[in-house]
Amino acid sequence: MAVDYDMNSSVLIDDFNRRDNHAFEYIFLHLYDALYRFSSKLYVGTEVVPDDVVQDVFMNVLKSRISFESLEHLKAYLYLSVKNSYRRYWSHQRHVENYVQHIKHLSGKYKVT
């Protein structure tokens, strides 16, 4: 039976912590747009799809065993997860660029004529 939640309800976060599907869906639907906009601003000019970032963050929370004290705690965790995803993306991009530059340097250094 579906519960009619309120975003300020302690029952909502309790059910979410138990990974109740209805609570998870309710929170996802209520927080998705704001997290999508946040992700869109971070990833502007990249090939990363903000929708994928938000879905990945929610899936990671769903799979985890982390419990949240409040909805505010959960929101903070979700926003921080989006931000950390962005940081990992740019760290990876820097490593790729460094590798490409290294390969270019080596190919120029050892040209066969």
Side-chain angles (χ1 to χ4, degrees):
M1 178 177 171
V3 177
D4 193 19
Y5 291 111
D6 173 338
M7 282 301 278
N8 298 318
S9 168
S10 63
V11 173
L12 175 60
I13 199 66
D14 290 342
D15 286 354
F16 183 87
N17 285 333
R18 287 194 314 274
R19 299 311 188 255
D20 174 81
N21 288 335
H22 297 292
F24 183 85
E25 180 181 8
Y26 185 86
I27 289 174
F28 180 85
L29 292 174
H30 279 81
L31 298 180
Y32 176 84
D33 287 340
L35 286 166
Y36 179 89
R37 285 190 304 274
F38 181 65
S39 180
S40 295
K41 290 177 184 177
L42 290 176
Y43 285 97
V44 70
T46 71
E47 71 277 357
V48 176
V49 180
D51 185 54
D52 292 344
V53 173
V54 175
Q55 288 181 19
D56 287 347
V57 164
F58 269 102
M59 287 307 298
N60 289 336
V61 170
L62 183 61
K63 292 177 189 177
S64 76
R65 297 186 187 272
I66 300 170
S67 290
F68 301 93
E69 296 172 16
S70 66
L71 186 60
E72 290 305 314
H73 183 207
L74 172 59
K75 283 182 190 179
Y77 183 89
L78 292 169
Y79 277 94
L80 186 59
S81 294
V82 169
K83 187 176 179 180
N84 287 340
S85 172
Y86 173 75
R87 286 180 174 165
R88 282 190 304 275
Y89 169 80
W90 279 112
S91 176
H92 177 74
Q93 290 304 107
R94 280 193 301 275
H95 288 294
V96 168
E97 283 182 27
N98 289 339
Y99 180 75
V100 167
Q101 291 302 319
H102 181 69
I103 296 299
K104 284 181 181 178
H105 174 73
L106 289 177
S107 66
K109 190 174 183 179
Y110 298 107
K111 272 196 173 170
V112 178
T113 52

